Amino acid sequence: MDDTMQTRVDAIVVGAGFGGIYMCKKLTDQGLSVKLIEAASDVGGTWYWNRYPGAMSDTNSHLYRYSWDKEDLQKCPWSRTYLRQPEILRYLQDVVERHRIRQHMQFDTQMTSAEWNPEINSWTVKTNAALRFEAKYLVTAVGLLSKKNYPSYPGIETYKGELYHSGAWPKQYDLSGKRVGVIGNGSTGVQIITAIADDVKRLISFQRTPQYVVPSGDKIATPDYRDKINADYEAIWKQAKESVFAFGFEESTTPLMSVSKEERERIFENAWNEGNGFRFMFGTFSDIVTSEEANEAAAQFIRTKIRGRVNDPEKARRLLPKEIYAKRPLCDTEYYEKFNSDHVDIIDLNETPITEFTEKGIKTDDGTEHDLDAIIFATGFDAVDGNYTSIPFKGKNGQTLRQRWSDGATSYLGLSVPDFPNLFMILGPNGPFTNLPPSIETQVEFIDELIAQSIRSSSGQGRYSIIEATSNAEHEWTDLCDNISKDSLFRRSDSWIFGANVPGKKKSVLFYFGGLGEYRKVLDAEAKSGYKGYSFY
Ligand code: FAD
Ligand code: NA7
C-alpha cells in the first residue's frame, strides 16, 4: 500500500540557498501557501554543503548578500573583505530567523520527480520522504553549482583512506599531519590547497589544467571601511545592479592595444595589487576575453607573476597556464607560495595521468603509487542544468527536461521553459553570468510579480491563470545568448560555463553574457509589455 502523504499548497519552492529563501519569503508575503523542500538538513544551499577548509566567496563581502534588508546590510557583522563559508552560512540562517521563513521549510526532503498534471493544472512533486505535493506553482532554486561532478577511476572502491568531495564536505574531519591528494585546481582546489598546505604532512595537487590565479586582496574590514560602505549602500547597489558583473567595479571600456605598453603594465599592476579575479579580467581592459592579443598580454602578465612566486622552476613550469585566459576568473590568498614548501608537490596529469586508485592511494602511469591518507575531489559540478536532467521532470506533453535539452539546455530569460507551465527556475540555463545574489534577487522579484499579476488578472473568474513561456520567446532569447557569446574566448575554453567539464555532456551556451544591468532592463520591459513572452490561459 502506498502510504505517501499528499499535501496541497499554492507553491512548492525547491532549495534553501539564496534563491529559495528569498522566493519563499516573497510568495508567503503575497499570501500564498508555500512549502520549501530541501535535500540538506538545514538552510544555506552552496554554503551548507561546501564546508571544505578555505571555502570562501570571491565576491567582496558587502555585495555577497541581499540588497533589500537595509537594517541587516548595516548591522550584520563581517570581519574581512571576503566572506568565509561559516559567515555566509550564519548570515543565511539569520535571514531565515529574522524573517520567520523557517516555518515554511522542510529539510531532508529531496524532490525525486516533478510532473505537470493537466487534469488539475498542478505540479505533482514526489520526494524521498513519504510525502507528495500538489502545487499550482513550482519554483526550482536548486542551484547552478550544486550537482557534484564525481569522475570515476578504476579501483576507486578499493581505496581504504578518506575520500571527500568539496561539495559534500563533512562537519567533522581532521587532515592535520596526514598525506593528502587533491584532484582539481579550479576555484575550490585552489582554496583547499591554500588552506590545508601548512597543516598536512604531505600534499599532492593532481592538476589537469593550470589556471590563471590573481590575488584576492583579502584584508580585515576595519570599522572605518565598514562605516564608509554603510553610508554608501544606496549608491553601491545602484552601481552593481546597473553594471555587467555586479562585482562592485566599473567594467573597463578601454581596449588593451589603445594604450602604451607602460600604461598596460601600470593598469595590470594596480589591478593585481587591488585584487579580485573579475576586476583583473574585466576592470582593466574591455577586450581581454574577446581579443586574442589582449588575452595573451593579460596571460603573460600573470605568468610572469607566477614565475616570481614559485621558487622551484620545475614546479613553476607545471603551474604555468598555457591555454587562453578564459575560464571563470579566480583569485587566491597565497596559493602559489604554498608550492615553495618541500612537502607540497604538483603532478601534471597530462604528462602523468592517473591510472587507478589502489588500497593505499593513487597510481600514476609512470608506475608510482602515491600513498595517501585522504583524497579530495575538487572536481566541480555538473553545472546549471545538472539538477534538472538528473531527475524525471515532465512537462505538459510528457516530455522530460532531459529529453528536451538533449542538444543543450534552453529557456526563456533563464526562468521558464515552453510546455512546462507555472514552472520557474532560479538561475536556470541562459540566466545572467554575474555575482549571483543580485541576479537571484532580480529573478525572484520578477517571478513574484509575474505570479501576483497572473493571480490578480484571473481573480473573480473562479480559476487561476496558467503561465507559460512561448516557443518564439524562448528561441529569440536562446539566439540572443548565442550571439552575445559568439566572440567570447570563454567559448573556446573547456569549463563548466559552457557545459564542457563533464564527460558526455554536450557543450552549449548556458549563460546570458549581456550583464545584469541589461538583463534587468529586459525583465522590466517584459513586465511593462504585459509579459509578451508568455501566454496565459
Ligand atoms: P544553492 O545555494 O546551490 O542551493 C540549492 C539548494 O537546492 C541546495 O541546498 C540543494 O541541496 C537543493 N536541491 C537541489 N536539488 C534538490 C532536490 N531535487 N530536492 C531538494 N533540494 C534540492 N557565486 C558568486 O556570485 N560569488 C561567489 O563568490 C561564489 N562562490 C562560490 C563558491 C563555491 C564553493 C560554490 C560551489 C559556489 C559559489 N558561488 C558563488 C555560486 C553560488 O552557488 C551562488 O552564489 C549561490 O549560493 C546560489 O544560490 P542558489 O540558492 O541559487 O543555489
Ligand atoms: P571547476 O571550476 O569546474 O574546477 C574543477 C577542477 O577539477 C578543474 O581543475 C578540473 O580540471 C578538475 N577536474 C575535473 N574533472 C577531472 C578529472 N576527471 N581529472 C582531473 N581533474 C579533473 O570547479 P570548482 O569547484 O573549482 O569551482 C566551481 C565554481 O564554484 C567556481 O567557478 C566558483 O564559481 C565556485 P580542468 O580544468 O577541467 O582540466
Side-chain angles (χ1 to χ4, degrees), residues 511-523:
F511 286 96
Y512 166 74
F513 284 95
L516 180 58
E518 282 308 307
Y519 184 70
R520 287 174 67 85
K521 284 187 204 156
V522 170
L523 293 198

Side-chain angles (χ1 to χ4, degrees), residues 14-20 37-40 42 44-50 52 55-59 64 109-112 141-146 187-188 191 247 328 381 387 391 426-427 434-437 440:
V14 189
F18 270 96
I37 57 172
E38 164 60 61
D42 205 345
T46 291
W47 306 101
Y48 173 92
W49 295 107
N50 291 265
Y52 59 81
M56 74 178 222
S57 157
D58 62 8
T59 303
Y64 198 69
T109 305
Q110 182 166 16
M111 171 173 74
T112 50
V142 291
L144 84 184
L145 291 161
S146 129
S187 173
T188 301
Q191 290 181 352
F247 266 79
R328 186 188 186 279
F381 302 89
N387 271 332
I391 61 169
I426 297 173
L427 302 183
T434 64
N435 169 36
L436 290 169
I440 289 172

